[in-house]
Amino acid sequence: MALMDSKLPLGSRYWYMKQSVEHGWSSTILKIQIESDLFQRQIEKEKVNNFTATLPKPQSDLANYLLKDPYIFDLVGTKERADERDIEEQLVGHVTKYLLEMGNSFAFVARQKHFQIGDSDFYADLILYNIKLHAYVVVELKATPFKPEYAGQLNFYINVVDDKLRGANDNKTIGLLLCKGKDEIMAQYALSGYNQPIGVSDYQLSKAIPEELKSALPTIEEVEEELTHLLEKEDDK
């Protein structure tokens, strides 16, 4: 009924039908995905990455398919004029709430992952694992438009994760740079020459999810309470 009531073209409806069956979406989640225009962001959008040059087929095609542009995070309670640190802390600190937006095949690994390289300390914003790709995904979050030096920083973290975390059965680690806007031509030039797979996407902080559907997602307080409960259980063991 959700698809019949929509004004989507037939091809888009068929794609949403397949996704609903594959991922077991409820009608509420389906409505959220339609309202956030998932088909356009994941399928129709021409994405900025170097996957074809750095990954073998069919992994490069799958990585490009799974990438979205933009990602939409509905940060309830974010300051209207949030500074960079505030946005990054909210996105990273509460990312478990937004794994639905990242995709059903993503699993949470770590946030602000510490690596000691030589005499220096480094902290990767977010590390996920993609089950379909059998690969770690390093996510760097920037509250500013894309700059070429961001790709170099992410490339560094990919090399570190490849060395420190990647197992014998894992594919190449992939980097995802989420920026508050980008010049697509500049971003594509910046990725040329890197041997590591990197994708660049925008993210939006907006009330993209209809008010009547927000109850389908956990609140930040609920996520924090659940994580605290799990940690206490681990401590008891």
Side-chain angles (χ1 to χ4, degrees):
M1 290 302 298
L3 287 168
M4 290 176 65
D5 290 341
S6 73
K7 297 180 180 179
L8 294 170
L10 183 59
S12 300
R13 294 189 196 195
Y14 179 65
W15 183 82
Y16 281 110
M17 289 178 192
K18 289 181 64 178
Q19 295 297 302
S20 296
V21 172
E22 180 179 351
H23 301 300
W25 288 346
S26 66
S27 59
T28 301
I29 296 301
L30 172 60
K31 290 176 184 177
I32 291 174
Q33 303 291 31
I34 293 172
E35 289 290 337
S36 69
D37 206 7
L38 180 63
F39 181 78
Q40 195 280 332
R41 295 185 293 120
Q42 185 171 338
I43 304 302
E44 294 185 330
K45 174 74 174 184
E46 187 172 343
K47 304 160 191 174
V48 177
N49 60 70
N50 63 354
F51 295 158
T52 301
T54 57
L55 293 172
K57 282 184 172 290
Q59 193 183 15
S60 59
D61 293 334
L62 180 56
N64 184 69
Y65 173 80
L66 294 174
L67 188 65
K68 301 173 186 175
D69 192 11
Y71 288 84
I72 298 177
F73 300 104
D74 186 32
L75 293 183
V76 178
T78 301
K79 293 184 296 185
E80 197 163 312
R81 293 192 176 182
D83 56 27
E84 179 171 339
R85 183 172 297 275
D86 179 68
I87 294 174
E88 289 192 9
E89 285 182 355
Q90 286 234 33
L91 281 174
V92 176
H94 306 297
V95 72
T96 48
K97 177 182 176 184
Y98 305 107
L99 282 179
L100 174 65
E101 174 62 12
M102 296 304 297
N104 292 68
S105 55
F106 284 94
F108 178 79
V109 177
R111 68 180 183 90
Q112 291 299 312
K113 175 67 176 177
H114 172 247
F115 295 104
Q116 184 170 357
I117 308 299
D119 296 327
S120 301
D121 294 309
F122 297 91
Y123 296 87
D125 281 348
L126 179 65
I127 298 178
L128 306 175
Y129 192 87
N130 189 281
I131 298 167
K132 289 185 177 180
L133 292 169
H134 298 287
Y136 285 98
V137 179
V138 184
V139 182
E140 277 294 297
L141 304 162
K142 300 296 180 183
T144 57
F146 174 83
K147 297 178 182 178
E149 54 263 36
Y150 292 163
Q153 180 187 24
L154 182 54
N155 186 71
F156 169 78
Y157 283 127
I158 296 171
N159 289 330
V160 172
V161 170
D162 262 346
D163 182 55
K164 302 292 186 181
L165 299 182
R166 180 183 171 192
N169 296 321
D170 296 324
N171 291 317
K172 290 181 67 172
T173 300
I174 294 172
L176 174 57
L177 186 60
L178 297 181
C179 299
K180 201 71 171 68
K182 65 179 179 299
D183 181 315
E184 296 192 0
I185 296 176
M186 179 175 66
Q188 197 65 65
Y189 271 118
L191 297 185
S192 299
Y194 282 108
N195 294 323
Q196 299 287 25
I198 298 174
V200 181
S201 289
D202 295 348
Y203 70 84
Q204 296 176 3
L205 304 180
S206 67
K207 303 298 182 289
I209 300 172
E211 290 296 329
E212 65 270 18
L213 301 181
K214 288 186 184 292
S215 60
L217 296 178
T219 64
I220 289 173
E221 290 75 16
E222 288 171 338
V223 173
E224 290 179 333
E225 182 180 351
E226 181 64 22
L227 288 176
T228 301
H229 178 65
L230 290 174
L231 289 173
E232 289 175 347
K233 288 178 66 177
E234 289 296 320
D235 291 340
D236 292 339
K237 292 179 182 179

